[in-house]
Amino acid sequence: MWNTIKPAVLAGVLLCLCRTALLAAERIEALEPHMGTMFRIVLYDDDPSQAHIAIRAAFDRVAELDGELSDYKPDSELNRVAVAAVGHDVPISNDLYTVLAASQSLADRTNGAFDVTLGPVIRLWRTARRTGVLPGGDEIAAASLRSGYRKLHVRNDGAPEIRLDIPGMQLDLGAIAKGYAADEGLRVLREHGFPQALVAASGDIAFGDAPPGQVGWDTGVDSINAPNESFTQVLQLHNAAISTSGDTEQFAEIDGVRYSHIVNPETGKGLTTRVGVTVVAARGIISDGLSTAASVIAEQHGPEAALELIRQSAARGIVVIQTDGKWLRYESPI
Ligand code: ADP
Ligand code: MG
């Protein structure tokens, strides 16, 4: 499987600012924990005092989004409206609308392989990862009844609103929120006068303009199934985003079967197909959602169908999948 390079300095570092002189501009890097992962900002500028203000504003924007989009925080907007919107329309923020509208569009295009209403099923598998005990078939069936993207209605007739068809539904934006947060962090940096920047949220990275004197940001695509090999591919990206989904970090291994944290709505189970997807798209909200969606499609319909979804979304991607014990790699034409 494939993964983007993740910063080796994640563990234990709460906030680190370091500078490297490069040409006239300085490279500034900052780390801060948000959305259950470490966010990283890198930017170039010849006026570092202003850079700190921009970085603060970008991280604050990510924190604001976490307060709206988190399914972990009981008082997040997402969790509040999931209760309040049962049976009638409830106003929502523009951010929540943007992410839910993109999610529903992806759900439509994948016949529900991507589905942010899978919250009840996803929570069962989260518990399974912790306890090592498989959820029962009846539990999965009951949770699946409280899921289904057609039970979520997102509208914007002047003011954004949502409605849910039945009580007990839970929304989970874990597959798309980090990509949107990276986009928004980058937008804030640009507004503060720092277009040569990147915002990384673990496996989701949004790139602004290229660093000074370079054609793009060097981004390694790593072979997860052969972790000791050197990076097989380095992309130079600017004004684009890259996301990776896979089961290397979050999975449950129970009775010899490995279940990914990505759920296949057709089975109600974590993916048991070993698959990793890397997507490059115009924005993080697209690459993040697509990498998760394509992982599910790869299990349901095979790797070619996963690539076709990526192609149809004006993105490009790499799908690595284990078939009969062997890893196969599929790549969409650039
Ligand atoms: P990561 O969170 O590791 O970056 P992803 O972007 O692929 O990886 O998102 C995985 C998360 O997406 C899961 O932890 C869960 O919250 C959510 N999720 C799982 N299955 C689905 C699905 N079929 N559709 C939408 N979201 C999903
Ligand atoms: Mg994703």
Side-chain angles (χ1 to χ4, degrees):
M1 279 190 272
W2 298 72
N3 196 5
T4 49
I5 297 175
K6 291 180 181 170
V9 283
L10 289 189
V13 184
L14 290 189
L15 177 67
C16 144
L17 294 177
C18 33
R19 298 171 194 173
T20 319
L22 188 105
L23 304 176
E26 267 188 289
R27 181 183 193 276
I28 300 178
E29 180 169 347
L31 295 172
E32 222 174 81
H34 292 283
M35 295 187 160
T37 190
M38 190 63 77
F39 271 67
R40 183 169 64 107
I41 288 175
V42 181
L43 57 76
Y44 286 87
D45 189 56
D46 29 26
D47 185 359
S49 65
Q50 292 306 307
H52 294 282
I53 295 170
I55 288 169
R56 186 67 264 135
F59 280 141
D60 286 349
R61 173 70 178 128
V62 172
E64 178 184 39
L65 287 171
D66 198 16
E68 292 171 338
L69 307 177
S70 168
D71 67 294
Y72 282 90
K73 296 186 168 174
D75 62 340
S76 69
E77 182 187 8
L78 184 79
N79 283 334
R80 281 187 283 109
V81 297
V83 176
V86 178
H88 55 264
D89 292 325
V90 164
I92 54 172
S93 66
N94 287 325
D95 289 323
L96 187 52
Y97 173 75
T98 299
V99 177
L100 286 177
S103 299
Q104 291 295 80
S105 151
L106 196 48
D108 271 333
R109 288 193 293 126
T110 60
N111 200 21
F114 185 89
D115 189 339
V116 295
T117 71
L118 281 171
V121 184
I122 290 167
R123 284 179 193 207
L124 286 181
W125 286 97
R126 242 185 234 165
T127 305
R129 280 202 297 283
R130 214 179 47 243
T131 60
V133 179
L134 279 184
D138 47 346
E139 281 180 293
I140 293 177
S144 297
L145 282 178
R146 291 190 283 122
S147 306
Y149 74 98
R150 292 194 178 87
K151 298 174 188 146
L152 162 66
H153 309 276
V154 185
R155 294 204 321 205
N156 193 348
D157 306 325
E161 294 176 326
I162 70 161
R163 177 166 47 83
L164 300 171
D165 283 347
I166 56 169
M169 292 178 69
Q170 283 160 346
L171 305 177
D172 184 324
L173 300 176
I176 192 166
K178 289 204 295 288
Y180 179 60
D183 290 341
E184 284 296 289
L186 196 63
R187 188 178 61 75
V188 168
L189 295 174
R190 189 180 285 279
E191 277 175 9
H192 279 73
F194 296 90
Q196 294 172 311
L198 72 74
V199 179
S202 187
D204 303 293
I205 310 174
F207 302 94
D209 295 352
Q214 299 190 33
V215 291
W217 297 84
D218 284 349
T219 309
V221 180
D222 179 18
S223 176
I224 297 176
N225 56 315
N228 296 328
E229 286 178 17
S230 57
F231 298 121
T232 11
Q233 204 172 358
V234 177
L235 307 174
Q236 267 96 31
L237 298 175
H238 67 91
N239 299 304
I242 191 167
S243 293
T244 297
S245 289
D247 67 357
T248 35
E249 284 169 23
Q250 292 196 59
F251 61 89
E253 190 152 339
I254 306 173
D255 299 335
V257 181
R258 186 175 170 125
Y259 299 91
S260 161
H261 67 311
I262 299 175
V263 167
N264 180 345
E266 281 180 357
T267 61
K269 295 180 180 170
L271 300 184
T272 51
T273 307
R274 297 295 311 277
V275 59
V277 178
T278 295
V279 174
V280 176
R283 284 178 296 125
I285 192 173
I286 300 170
S287 60
D288 191 5
L290 263 184
S291 62
T292 311
S295 301
V296 181
I297 293 288
E299 173 160 299
Q300 291 179 341
H301 305 292
E304 301 281 8
L307 276 187
E308 185 54 28
L309 170 71
I310 294 167
R311 255 198 306 266
Q312 283 170 3
S313 313
R316 52 196 168 111
I318 302 166
V319 177
V320 181
I321 190 163
Q322 200 178 40
T323 313
D324 299 329
K326 281 209 306 231
W327 286 96
L328 300 175
R329 179 181 185 278
Y330 298 76
E331 186 168 356
S332 63
I334 295 174

